[in-house]
Amino acid sequence: MTQTPVRFGLIGTGRIGQVHAASIAAAPDATLAWVADPFIDGANAVAAKFGGTATASAEELISAGAKGEIDAVLIASPTPTHVDLIEASVRAGLPVLCEKPIDLAIARVDALRPLIAESGIPVALGFNRRFDPDFKSARARVAAGEIGDPEQLIIISRDPAAPPADYIKVSGGIFRDMTIHDFDMARFFVDDIVEVHATGTRAFDPGAREHGDFDTAVTTLRASSGAVVTIINSRHSAIGYDQRIEAFGGRGMLQVANAPTSLVSLSTAEAVEAKPAYGEFFLERYAEAYSAELGEFIKLVRGEASTSPTFEDGRAALILADAAQRSATEGVAVAVDLGA
Amino acid sequence: MTQTPVRFGLIGTGRIGQVHAASIAAAPDATLAWVADPFIDGANAVAAKFGGTATASAEELISAGAKGEIDAVLIASPTPTHVDLIEASVRAGLPVLCEKPIDLAIARVDALRPLIAESGIPVALGFNRRFDPDFKSARARVAAGEIGDPEQLIIISRDPAAPPADYIKVSGGIFRDMTIHDFDMARFFVDDIVEVHATGTRAFDPGAREHGDFDTAVTTLRASSGAVVTIINSRHSAIGYDQRIEAFGGRGMLQVANAPTSLVSLSTAEAVEAKPAYGEFFLERYAEAYSAELGEFIKLVRGEASTSPTFEDGRAALILADAAQRSATEGVAVAVDLGA
Amino acid sequence: MTQTPVRFGLIGTGRIGQVHAASIAAAPDATLAWVADPFIDGANAVAAKFGGTATASAEELISAGAKGEIDAVLIASPTPTHVDLIEASVRAGLPVLCEKPIDLAIARVDALRPLIAESGIPVALGFNRRFDPDFKSARARVAAGEIGDPEQLIIISRDPAAPPADYIKVSGGIFRDMTIHDFDMARFFVDDIVEVHATGTRAFDPGAREHGDFDTAVTTLRASSGAVVTIINSRHSAIGYDQRIEAFGGRGMLQVANAPTSLVSLSTAEAVEAKPAYGEFFLERYAEAYSAELGEFIKLVRGEASTSPTFEDGRAALILADAAQRSATEGVAVAVDLGA
Amino acid sequence: MTQTPVRFGLIGTGRIGQVHAASIAAAPDATLAWVADPFIDGANAVAAKFGGTATASAEELISAGAKGEIDAVLIASPTPTHVDLIEASVRAGLPVLCEKPIDLAIARVDALRPLIAESGIPVALGFNRRFDPDFKSARARVAAGEIGDPEQLIIISRDPAAPPADYIKVSGGIFRDMTIHDFDMARFFVDDIVEVHATGTRAFDPGAREHGDFDTAVTTLRASSGAVVTIINSRHSAIGYDQRIEAFGGRGMLQVANAPTSLVSLSTAEAVEAKPAYGEFFLERYAEAYSAELGEFIKLVRGEASTSPTFEDGRAALILADAAQRSATEGVAVAVDLGA
């Protein structure tokens, strides 16, 4: 690559912001130019470790971008800030990679939509799972016809442990906070979803009960082709992070298993072929995906062909989440128009 | 066993009737005394092979029972005959093992209900899967607390190939005809179901399209405990009969895999650990279960403790099927009261 | 089958004799005509359950055969009686199915050989594993070229628990008593064995130590083609009866796994995909094989094409066992001429 | 880590030398100070990419070390140079990590032995597989008693494709070139080996035939405890690099499976659960192990507790290789004294 590295401005230095900072630092064609976080200690620590100028002000970072000091903005700040930061970045002419979800309110997303469409500035969404090598491979093999026409997709997605009640309170609910990834994965495989059914319950988590959220959910998405997607969620999983997909079609099925943490199995009189439990959580499980996600976004910034999920993908996932929330609450199937 | 063998009257000598005839003949504590089928050649053939007196008239068989020539009636005739035959048998004081479903119309089932309750005559339903050693073991292990409190049950149930359009026409639809087994399996694991959501589509089968049925369905059952059951159905499966269960709880999960048809796997440069496809259909897959089902019913006939599913279990499954049909058609969640 | 059933004379009513009696009784084309055991209670019990005339005298049984009362002899008596009983049966013109090994002394086997060759009377050996559906399928697929030219065969064969020391004393040693089956399996896959290396140790069993036997053994067989067979034996296995095969060739490999005892697996925080231990022992593991073995022998009796292993196969396995014993004792590779 | 990074002198910049250069460059506590290769272009390329001063002369590198410019030598040059380079490094007071084998001639190894013992300079051998997380975990679990007393170890080790005939010619033969790794792995699990049996054949490779080598080998190692190790080797494997271990003991077994290249499996009417073939070769399979090997050597250089395999481990593996070569050639079991 004889191209100049893309200079990133990173907004937000929490857990996921640090992952992105490390990816940027490790990428041969990217550098970390600016780091913003109102919690200035966080910004300073990240800048010290991975490079760049630290600031407490995202506005200052975007201004630096407007002056030509950065080439792209990576938004990893709390959800309520996303819309304003995307808008400011786009107005400054800066391509954006924003963590999901765009916002918890579809109205705010829709309000931002025309600006993005008119600007022509690329805005990508951080649906990292699309870049997981196994999910990506499964999707490519479905597209190549290995299972015939796709008819059923089963996504099992269970987090290791329920988040704190305080987080539940502001999360927007399980569908907007957790299932949002699965909605995007559903659309990655099946692109003509027209109807949403969802069932949510409170089976174990006091936090979900306290804040009117669900800890257990099953969502069914109907596509115009007749294909049906089923998403099985739980906020906890004793066996570790549980992330599986089964794509079933007229000629067979493709299954993506959980990632083993070891190749060793134990057989005794009590049990045979017992393996260690699955790994902890998304940062480890999707480490490779985060790196690939960044690489694909860099192509987008450079105007090359790119498969980065877009603002429209982010909006579609939110529409599905809203529909699931309504379905689970009101007990009705909810029609959706994703305009695809 | 020094007890006298139970003398069976078998009504119906189609595919499933022949399975029962063979089970009766093979059981040390049962004999085939009478065989009835309006298609008299069928009755004669079964009687010639497995013993008993053949007749074209089910009434004659039940009369013989009333005279003390048989101890129990096994009904394996077409669904529309079930209610009348159960009624006649019960009025003759004969215990009944009836194939599922009791009837396609819940009204007819409800009309029969008081007679059975008052008579005290045992009426068992042929939900054979409860007697599959693996499903039975999984359920016992769930009950023993191996996964903690059950929170999610996933039942994947796909038939090898769609039935002929003529059969679809009279089948009562996928939920009453096929999912009925899965509804009973759901209740085998989770006993307090209060709500049903279902999505059905026509993804591939012209017969389903022609007769307004679905070939693909996903049903979600909500229990009052917060547990959720998901049933995934397809009328076809290129890989063979697909019958799996995953029970997920607070401490882990129990999975029942498909039955392998071979212990041999092939590894080449193209693919590793490839095994032959799954077996053909229910008669082979559940051969052991049919035999155990009969043994359990014999206990019931003898007044011993028995786990045979009852008329009430048959009615509950039909209520769930009706609710699923309505949910899939009208796009609403349907509350059910199974009176359990 | 319009043919008259083959009338069997069974000699020996111990554990394996009872298995054969049950197979004969269950086979549509066989009946049990005579049963002999010097332990007359055993003979009486088997005859009562499965039919036939009981006697304490094998000679009387063979005499009855000579008079036309039986069509074939099944020898399941202790090993030291095999040679004499085969000889008497052959002289009486009766086809024989004899349990393995023919004898512990190759000299006695060789002395019997000319009579059998000249008589033309079929003598089959009870190498039941050839009839196991999975081993048979693997061998057929190797023969069909699925792995290319066979280069390596690994046979893992471990019994659940060491036999009593008294049995070890008269067993002829691990190679003649236990590995004998694996030697036949080796020849089932690879037919030109020319050299034997063996290593035996006493790792755990006091009985083996007391009587100069081995409890642990590894045998390597070299074929003239360059293929190599490795047989791994142990007299005990905490996980249950361990019977696996891996056939490796130029294009890939075929593996035969242990037979699962359940389709249920448990996943918890401690371990995932844990399955119940393997089954107990050969009577259960090879039930289907014993039945197929009998069916194939019936063909042989009737002069039809048959794949029953022969007296020569029995002799070849014993030659390999002798060679292994010598190799393990003297620390040399031993050349063998199986005359194939 | 506030310690100064260890400055490495790397000798040899072929395939494995480049792996080590990359590991050194990536390690936080190591730097590449000098790079030597008589093929100066190779040395220059590595130095340009990973740092350090390039030279065509290993002597110059060691001299620089003697002057305090490097802290340790990593020898990745051709086998015939190892002994001289180790000697020179040790005389210069420099700790050494040397690729296996030390030499093809045990006499040269033995001649070097006293110097190393007297010098007290640490000399580590590059038996990278000890650092593979799964083999390491299996060994630790065996040591922790999970399988009871170890009785049998099976090592399956097959390379993807036979090397060129020219390489075979100078390789020292399959036992010294390829099995050498498995001999060390055997000793990693079982430490009291006293006897070696080996069988080698030429099943497919013209190069092996031309140069009197074997392409297929089975080696059996007997331990004084009664444990037996079986090593199965092939110079080719159509399914990819095949590296498995099974450790069997009185309480059960631990198995290390091949590393999957994908979590995706395909099921169709032709075959179910088919996965992509295994990966290419050792550089990919053991990438993590090479990095851990370096980390452990750095501890050794710093005088910290370290599990790096030593010169003595390298010598023991060569003794076993010599014994196997002799056993396979002469058809005798060969006693060994590893002096452990």
Side-chain angles (χ1 to χ4, degrees), chain A residues 150-152 154 156 158 195 197-204 209 215-218 220-223 225-230 232-234 236-239 242 244 246 248-253 255 258 278 327-328 331-334, chain B residues 150-152 154 156 158 195 197-204 209 215-218 220-223 225-230 232-234 236-239 242 244 246 248-253 255 258 278 327-328 331-334:
Chain A
E151 295 165 8
Q152 299 186 331
I154 306 173
I156 294 177
R158 295 172 179 137
E195 195 182 65
H197 285 240
T199 301
T201 67
R202 290 150 199 124
F204 58 87
R209 197 172 300 274
D215 53 35
T216 297
V218 176
T220 306
L221 310 175
R222 187 166 65 76
S225 66
V228 178
V229 181
T230 306
I232 313 272
N233 290 126
S234 177
H236 75 167
S237 169
I239 63 174
D242 192 2
R244 288 173 283 158
E246 173 172 320
F248 172 86
R251 294 192 52 237
M253 66 182 175
Q255 293 172 299
N258 273 318
Y278 304 118
S327 177
V332 291
V334 177
Chain B
E151 295 166 6
Q152 299 186 331
I154 306 174
I156 295 177
R158 296 173 178 136
E195 195 182 65
H197 286 240
T199 301
T201 67
R202 291 150 200 124
F204 58 86
R209 197 172 302 273
D215 53 34
T216 297
V218 176
T220 305
L221 309 175
R222 187 166 65 77
S225 67
V228 178
V229 180
T230 307
I232 313 271
N233 291 126
S234 177
H236 75 168
S237 168
I239 62 172
D242 193 1
R244 287 173 283 158
E246 173 172 320
F248 172 87
R251 294 191 52 236
M253 68 179 172
Q255 293 172 299
N258 273 318
Y278 303 117
S327 177
V332 291
V334 176

Side-chain angles (χ1 to χ4, degrees), chain B residues 132 134 255-260 285, chain C residues 260-265 275-276:
Chain B
D132 174 75
D134 296 301
Q255 293 172 299
V256 186
N258 273 318
R285 174 67 182 81
Chain C
T261 52
S262 169
L263 303 175
V264 183
S265 65
K275 289 170 272 290

